[in-house]
Amino acid sequence: QVKRRELQAASDVSRIECLENDLITARKKAALAERRSLELERQLGEVLPELSSVKSNNDMLQDQISEGKQREAELSERIGDLGRQLEDARSMMETVEREGGDRVLAVQADRQAQAEQFNLSIEEKSQTIS
């Protein structure tokens, strides 16, 4: 029985030594992981300001793109309006050529009178609002 206890004690000592070695290895790995974590935090601290700057520049560029698209749409609409006005002018020129200058002059005089009446009406309304 003494022999058995000695063998058991030797086995226990061996297990304890293994556990101590495992503990030392685990502590070394934990220290290594801690150093790696600190290094990654340092690198993150270096990268975050640059990332913020890039994001800010990206937001500014997105705003400029949106403004450019809006301006493009406005100019396209204006080009369409000018195209229609050009077609109207061409049509009017054809009418002048066909019907003669007197009739067109009468139409133009009528339109001028209507425009003047419209402008007077706007001025009256503007004065009424004021």
Side-chain angles (χ1 to χ4, degrees):
Q1 196 174 24
V2 172
K3 187 75 168 162
R4 205 164 103 198
R5 284 187 186 169
E6 287 177 356
L7 288 174
Q8 183 63 41
S11 175
D12 290 346
V13 168
S14 177
R15 266 188 39 224
I16 289 171
E17 288 174 351
C18 284
L19 291 173
E20 286 175 345
N21 287 337
D22 289 348
L23 180 61
I24 290 169
T25 302
R27 284 181 179 161
K28 287 179 181 178
K29 287 181 179 180
L32 183 62
E34 178 68 20
R35 284 193 300 273
R36 181 67 178 142
S37 175
L38 291 173
E39 175 61 21
L40 290 174
E41 285 180 16
R42 184 191 64 77
Q43 290 176 3
L44 184 61
E46 292 174 356
V47 171
L48 282 178
E50 185 178 350
L51 177 63
S52 177
S53 173
V54 167
K55 185 181 180 327
S56 176
N57 288 342
N58 185 44
D59 291 345
M60 183 177 64
L61 290 173
Q62 290 297 331
D63 290 345
Q64 289 176 351
I65 288 170
S66 295
E67 290 171 6
K69 286 181 178 179
Q70 181 180 356
R71 183 68 178 138
E72 179 184 14
E74 291 169 358
L75 291 175
S76 292
E77 184 177 330
R78 181 71 177 132
I79 288 170
D81 289 345
L82 291 173
R84 286 185 287 281
Q85 290 176 10
L86 178 60
E87 286 302 314
D88 290 347
R90 285 180 180 158
S91 175
M92 186 178 287
M93 284 175 43
E94 290 172 1
T95 302
V96 168
E97 290 171 357
R98 272 182 288 165
E99 297 178 3
D102 291 341
R103 180 150 188 237
V104 171
L105 289 176
V107 169
Q108 287 177 338
D110 184 51
R111 285 186 181 168
Q112 181 67 31
Q114 288 175 356
E116 288 175 8
Q117 181 62 36
F118 180 72
N119 287 336
L120 286 175
S121 173
I122 289 176
E123 285 179 21
E124 289 173 1
K125 290 177 181 176
S126 174
Q127 289 176 356
T128 302
I129 290 172
S130 297

